Amino acid sequence: MEWIKVLHLLAVLGWMTGIFAVPRAIIFWKREYAQLGAFGPTGDLTIRIYRFSLGLGVIAIATGLWLGWYWGFPLWVWSKLGLVALLAAHYGWTGRLVLRARKGIFTESDFWLRVFNEISVFGAIGVLIIVVFKPF
């Protein structure tokens, strides 16, 4: 079971990297697109980070469910899963932004994208608090 925990933590780290990096990268992609008027290397990198971290997110959720099942799904696991579901929805929305950016559609402001990026930080902090303190 310890190897599942290791795999889970590695996958979570990779997924969180994408969750935190991609919205910020869209800001730079937007600026690059405005300057070049075309798809550039920042967009390519952003897409690659999103795709890679998406796979890690799937592994993180699958191994998290496995661990939850192993522990009998105590209340703290359900609370964590609720926050993870919100983070997954946030990541899905990020994917929508990436798909629109591939078409050259950047309607959100830099400020909006920065706030959107920081929302995920609060979700990650909530997950950490629940996992470490297990308040329920």
Side-chain angles (χ1 to χ4, degrees), residues 83 87 118-128:
L83 287 176
L87 284 169
E118 297 306 322
I119 289 170
S120 60
V121 173
F122 292 113
I125 290 170
V127 169
L128 286 172

Side-chain angles (χ1 to χ4, degrees), residues 10-71:
L10 286 172
V12 167
L13 288 170
W15 187 36
M16 288 296 119
T17 300
I19 284 176
F20 299 148
V22 173
R24 180 63 66 166
I26 292 172
I27 294 171
F28 295 111
W29 186 2
K30 177 182 173 184
R31 292 176 184 167
E32 179 184 72
Y33 190 85
Q35 190 174 37
L36 299 176
F39 189 80
T42 305
D44 184 50
L45 180 62
T46 305
I47 292 167
R48 288 174 185 268
I49 292 170
Y50 184 82
R51 285 182 182 163
F52 181 73
S53 59
L54 177 63
L56 291 172
V58 170
I59 294 169
I61 291 170
T63 55
L65 289 170
W66 187 344
L67 290 168
W69 172 80
Y70 179 77
W71 293 321

